[in-house]
Amino acid sequence: MTGLLAARVLADFYRSVIVVERDILPYGPQTRRGVPQGGLPHIPAARLTRILDQLFPGFLDELLAGGARVWGDGDLSRLCINFGGHQLLRSGQVPDPESIVIHYAHRPFLEWSLRRRVRAAPNVEFLQGCEAVRLPATQNQGRVTGVVLARRDSGAEDTLTADLVVDATGRGSRTPIFLQELGYGRPREDQLKVHVTYAGLPVYLPPGALWENVTLTAAEPSSPMAFAMFAGENNTYMLAVQTLAGQQAPKDIAALLNCLTGVAPPHVLAALRSAEPLADVTQYRFPSNRWRRYDKLSRIPDGLLVMGDAVCSFNPLYGQGMSVAAIEALILSDCLAQGDEGLPRRYFRAAAKEIGVAWQTAVSSDLALPQIAGKRTVSVRLRNALVDRMIVAAQTDPTMVQRFLRLMNMVGPRAELIRPSTMLRMAG
């Protein structure tokens, strides 16, 4: 997703853009080896879908034409969300439905749809079955001049020259190693270890079998297991459980359904027991929130940028990764519009400001659970207390549900939690 978004932006500024992909890409919306979490629940946050429609006009209409769902009428009965043991209001409507429109499309379908649009650009080319093994640089090591690629089937190497190299290879990014080989320091890494494991699968439910578009039960101190089930295209649903702090996750559907007793709402669990599994249970392990601080490097070569999970990866439960990648794509566009002088420094500093907001959200939320080891600063405790008060108020107040959903979808004001009107509703 990050690489596709970067390619779309780069196509506006460069004569030729080459997307180097390790996998041999499927022809349809299928999970693939390079995206091991692709078969687990994803919701494209409202911030992401707004940016996608900005970069690819008509994209959301294409998703809907392909069978995706949309929640745009504010009907709260379509949502079943429980945070911290508090059930968000399930009746009535939010006061301003247009302020929070959510699309439901599974990750493989979303990525495939995006890839088709990127491939349609006349100056974008895909090079499949290759991976980066080195970064060549000029003699004085002041600029990266391309990338050395190796074929995954034969190991044969070739050098691809480029004016700009963008690393969008995810958590496994080797750029820190490449920088060290070129004589630069590795970026500092900020981490919060969570050791979560996801286990889930896609299922099919007949039309009308389940009213809700989303069912989400977050982990809480007394029950450290989360459950998510999201609707998608053509009456398919993705469901998963999340265990944390190294707890065992179920390995088959029978064990998965058994562990949902007392976690999933009874009517949802009943629907799942009659659902048609569309794949085996897959597991995905996520060891830690991790932020590689390229913005703090004292020296960095020109001609090299890093985006998406290769910079910062968050606990997937909070659904921020794709949105942050989309925000970074817009930052890249703004930086390129100002020329390439000092591009890496300008980009990393601007991206860090946006990443920092998402980082605080993810880390603070994880530290609300005593099972996660970490320093609980005054700001973390204060933020968690305010979020808890917001959720308590959202049990009965549709305005607070709307504000909470806007925060979750990264479209609400950053100061939403401390707005006077929000504080008054919390107190009430």
Side-chain angles (χ1 to χ4, degrees):
M1 291 291 293
T2 305
L4 293 172
L5 289 163
R8 162 63 185 84
V9 167
L10 294 170
D12 287 342
F13 296 91
Y14 291 88
R15 183 182 69 254
S16 174
V17 178
I18 299 176
V19 180
V20 179
E21 170 57 55
R22 295 179 70 217
D23 287 348
I24 302 299
L25 295 167
Y27 289 104
Q30 304 170 25
T31 56
R32 57 188 180 89
R33 182 178 179 181
V35 188
Q37 73 275 29
L40 296 170
H42 288 68
I43 289 184
R47 182 74 176 273
L48 169 65
T49 52
R50 290 182 183 183
I51 296 175
L52 288 176
D53 219 39
Q54 175 183 342
L55 294 175
F56 303 91
F59 183 79
L60 298 182
D61 291 336
E62 292 179 10
L63 287 184
L64 296 179
R69 296 189 186 187
V70 61
W71 184 75
D73 60 1
D75 180 1
L76 292 173
S77 68
R78 288 281 189 177
L79 312 179
C80 184
I81 299 176
N82 189 302
F83 268 90
H86 305 298
Q87 181 76 54
L88 270 59
L89 182 65
R90 299 213 56 211
S91 60
Q93 292 182 313
V94 298
D96 183 12
E98 292 185 0
S99 72
I100 178 68
V101 177
I102 302 173
H103 290 75
Y104 298 91
H106 299 315
R107 169 63 185 267
F109 178 59
L110 184 68
E111 182 181 314
W112 176 67
S113 301
L114 184 59
R115 189 161 60 242
R116 288 192 302 167
R117 290 293 294 266
V118 173
R119 271 184 159 154
N123 59 335
V124 176
E125 173 189 349
F126 282 72
L127 186 59
Q128 303 179 45
C130 296
E131 60 183 330
V133 293
R134 284 188 304 283
L135 291 177
T138 54
Q139 285 296 322
N140 61 6
Q141 297 188 351
R143 170 175 286 275
V144 167
T145 58
V147 60
V148 178
L149 303 176
R151 295 287 313 180
R152 299 204 70 200
D153 54 0
S154 65
E157 293 188 0
D158 191 18
T159 299
L160 187 66
T161 59
D163 295 309
L164 179 65
V165 174
V166 177
D167 176 3
T169 56
R171 279 183 66 90
S173 164
R174 299 182 65 195
T175 290
I177 298 173
F178 296 156
L179 287 176
Q180 192 171 42
E181 291 173 346
L182 293 174
Y184 295 85
R186 296 174 68 133
R188 183 187 92 202
E189 292 189 359
D190 296 341
Q191 285 198 79
L192 178 69
K193 294 182 179 180
V194 290
H195 296 296
V196 300
T197 301
Y198 290 84
L201 75 161
V203 300
Y204 172 81
L205 284 172
L210 193 65
W211 179 249
E212 291 84 357
N213 289 328
V214 54
T215 303
L216 175 64
T217 303
E220 54 183 301
S222 62
S223 179
M225 176 181 286
F227 164 69
M229 180 173 175
F230 302 152
E233 62 276 6
N234 304 320
N235 299 304
T236 58
Y237 293 75
M238 289 281 189
L239 69 134
V241 297
Q242 178 206 57
T243 60
L244 54 86
Q247 289 183 313
Q248 187 73 21
K251 296 182 178 180
D252 56 58
I253 190 167
L256 191 153
L257 294 177
N258 285 338
C259 77
L260 289 180
T261 302
V263 178
H267 73 286
V268 174
L269 184 54
L272 282 176
R273 292 192 183 281
S274 62
E276 176 189 350
L278 299 177
D280 293 332
V281 170
T282 60
Q283 290 193 348
Y284 174 67
R285 290 178 172 82
F286 181 84
S288 64
N289 298 282
R290 184 176 65 191
W291 186 0
R292 289 174 169 145
R293 301 304 302 266
Y294 288 99
D295 58 304
K296 300 293 186 182
L297 284 174
S298 59
R299 294 174 58 242
I300 191 164
D302 287 328
L304 175 66
L305 299 178
V306 190
M307 296 178 63
D309 282 0
V311 178
C312 190
S313 55
F314 313 90
N315 187 337
L317 179 67
Y318 310 121
Q320 298 173 306
M322 292 188 293
S323 294
V324 170
I327 292 167
E328 290 172 351
L330 295 185
I331 292 171
L332 175 60
S333 180
D334 291 341
C335 289
L336 288 171
Q338 300 168 28
D340 61 2
E341 183 68 27
L343 175 63
R345 185 71 61 195
R346 289 187 287 114
Y347 165 78
F348 285 125
R349 285 178 176 173
K353 294 178 182 178
E354 296 290 344
I355 291 170
V357 177
W359 178 262
Q360 182 185 36
T361 298
V363 168
S364 295
S365 298
D366 283 334
L367 288 174
L369 299 170
Q371 293 86 357
I372 303 300
K375 185 177 180 180
R376 290 158 174 83
T377 63
V378 172
S379 63
V380 166
R381 295 198 300 269
L382 177 59
R383 187 186 187 282
N384 286 340
L386 290 172
V387 169
D388 188 65
R389 289 303 306 166
M390 174 177 272
I391 296 169
V392 169
Q395 293 179 116
T396 56
D397 186 343
T399 296
M400 293 299 279
V401 176
Q402 177 176 292
R403 293 182 182 181
F404 180 67
L405 292 175
R406 283 172 56 79
L407 279 179
M408 285 182 63
N409 282 268
M410 303 177 70
V411 293
R414 293 181 179 179
E416 183 73 84
L417 281 171
I418 56 175
R419 283 174 60 184
S421 61
T422 299
M423 300 290 281
L424 284 171
R425 288 180 176 273
M426 289 180 184

